[in-house]
Amino acid sequence: MDKRIIKALTSPSFACLAILHKLSPLIKSDELYLKIVYWLSMGKRSNLKNPKTFNEKLQWLKLYNRKPEYTIMVDKVKAKEYVAKIIGKEHIIPTLGVWDDPDEIDFDALPNQFVLKCNHNSGMGMCICRNKSKLDIAKVKRELRKGLRQDYYMTNREWPYKNVPRKIMAEKFMQDGNKPDLTDYKFFCFNGEPKMMYVSHDNAEHATTDFFDMDYNRLPIRMKDPNSEVLPEQPKEFEEMKQYARQLSKNMPFLRVDFYVICHVVYFGELTFFHNSGLTPIRPTEWEYKIGKWLKLPSAAFGS
């Protein structure tokens, strides 16, 4: 049985969320919708008039911190040019092509290994091709069409995605030596200053996340995935990534800046304004408030 069906049967809140996502276009008020989503996801009401926790403040930012450049920054195609101007094009994973429709893709012209993804969402439609001779092209096109149809903004009202022109992008397949998967380094930045980061090993069998401060001391934080049993080593490029994170997050209340280190070269991953859409409980609970204090909202009336 599908894992989502099992979860829906065992968790009423999950089932209600699934229904709410389907009905999202019928709820015009972003504020009302976010209050309902927050309650179902977190099991408590949000305080948007005087937000205190990290997750509450992210909901506030969805509603009241809307700048046109944010749309460029979350667009996986345009973000590369934006980031290259700040930290250099040598830190950008090469793009092999951009298309409006799956039928436009010339698969014969692509190399044996590549990655296909939509530019406006977070994973739906993605194809990681390790051997083109075994690729089911018809299936890949079907999945890409599903991805293109997804209205990522509507799910959790993350405003920057609302006006991203939907595209399909092919990227160079990147591998770090003989390692089967890339490691993500995700920096939580507040007004241009990285305060913590986590190391993400996101493989299909066992995804883990481990949080660290800016001296690479492990933090006792758990969000969505479990911590790893073996402490990830500090990468030699840690200070370099911190500096790039500072540059990319300057003058922004909160920005998560993601990198990969591939054969000791730092590569840009993505920019995220709302970590887990601000809908994942943080354990222990005291860290909800600690991280919330780092996030200074643009209006003094809503400060921490």
Side-chain angles (χ1 to χ4, degrees), residues 242-259:
K242 280 167 59 176
Q243 182 56 33
Y244 295 151
R246 287 191 186 96
Q247 293 173 256
L248 291 167
S249 62
K250 188 177 179 181
N251 297 323
M252 295 179 194
F254 171 75
L255 188 68
R256 200 191 77 202
V257 185
D258 300 357
F259 300 105

Side-chain angles (χ1 to χ4, degrees), residues 265-283:
V265 177
V266 175
Y267 285 93
F268 164 68
E270 66 178 3
L271 303 173
T272 301
F273 287 94
F274 313 104
H275 173 70
N276 287 351
S277 202
L279 297 170
T280 298
I282 299 173
R283 299 288 182 264

Side-chain angles (χ1 to χ4, degrees), residues 46-258:
S46 58
N47 182 353
L48 293 176
K49 290 185 177 180
N50 187 24
K52 296 291 186 182
T53 70
F54 177 60
N55 284 317
E56 285 178 334
K57 289 185 176 184
L58 290 184
Q59 306 312 312
W60 190 96
L61 289 172
K62 288 181 187 179
L63 295 170
Y64 302 115
N65 186 43
R66 300 183 170 188
K67 298 182 179 181
E69 59 265 34
Y70 292 176
T71 295
I72 294 172
M73 294 168 69
V74 301
D75 181 332
K76 289 178 172 60
V77 172
K78 294 181 180 178
K80 289 188 174 187
E81 183 178 348
Y82 173 88
V83 171
K85 289 179 180 177
I86 298 173
I87 67 172
K89 63 182 181 180
E90 65 273 20
H91 301 292
I92 307 300
I93 294 175
T95 298
L96 305 176
V98 178
W99 306 273
D100 294 314
D101 186 272
D103 288 334
E104 297 175 0
I105 303 171
D106 183 355
F107 284 88
D108 290 336
L110 290 174
N112 186 52
Q113 296 181 316
F114 56 86
V115 176
L116 286 169
K117 62 178 72 171
C118 296
N119 68 320
H120 73 292
N121 63 9
S122 182
M124 182 177 284
M126 177 181 285
C127 167
I128 300 175
C129 177
R130 299 174 185 270
N131 184 346
K132 191 168 64 172
S133 67
K134 297 181 180 180
L135 192 65
D136 184 340
I137 293 177
K139 182 180 179 181
V140 169
K141 288 183 177 182
R142 286 196 300 271
E143 293 302 312
L144 285 170
R145 289 192 180 94
K146 287 182 186 177
L148 287 174
R149 288 195 298 269
Q150 184 185 24
D151 189 335
Y152 196 68
Y153 153 74
M154 270 294 167
T155 304
N156 290 316
R157 303 297 168 97
E158 297 186 28
W159 178 84
Y161 295 94
K162 186 174 184 178
N163 296 314
V164 175
R166 300 178 193 182
K167 305 282 185 180
I168 299 165
M169 175 174 65
E171 286 185 328
K172 181 180 178 181
F173 178 86
M174 306 294 284
Q175 189 165 6
D176 187 16
N178 294 322
K179 298 176 184 177
D181 300 288
L182 296 178
T183 300
D184 269 319
Y185 300 92
K186 300 173 182 284
F187 288 78
F188 284 50
C189 303
F190 303 84
N191 283 309
E193 191 58 37
K195 292 281 193 178
M196 72 176 191
M197 58 82 74
Y198 71 90
V199 181
S200 174
H201 294 99
D202 192 14
N203 60 60
E205 296 180 359
H206 186 56
T208 60
T209 56
D210 297 280
F211 290 82
F212 298 87
D213 66 16
M214 290 298 95
D215 293 317
Y216 209 78
N217 298 308
R218 193 177 197 176
L219 298 173
I221 296 175
R222 166 83 183 269
M223 290 193 190
K224 186 172 65 173
D225 297 318
N227 301 136
S228 60
E229 296 178 2
V230 179
L231 188 69
E233 291 185 5
Q234 178 177 336
K236 295 179 180 178
E237 301 77 13
F238 184 59
E239 294 298 326
E240 182 183 357
M241 287 189 284
K242 280 167 59 176
Q243 182 56 33
Y244 295 151
R246 287 191 186 96
Q247 293 173 256
L248 291 167
S249 62
K250 188 177 179 181
N251 297 323
M252 295 179 194
F254 171 75
L255 188 68
R256 200 191 77 202
V257 185
D258 300 357

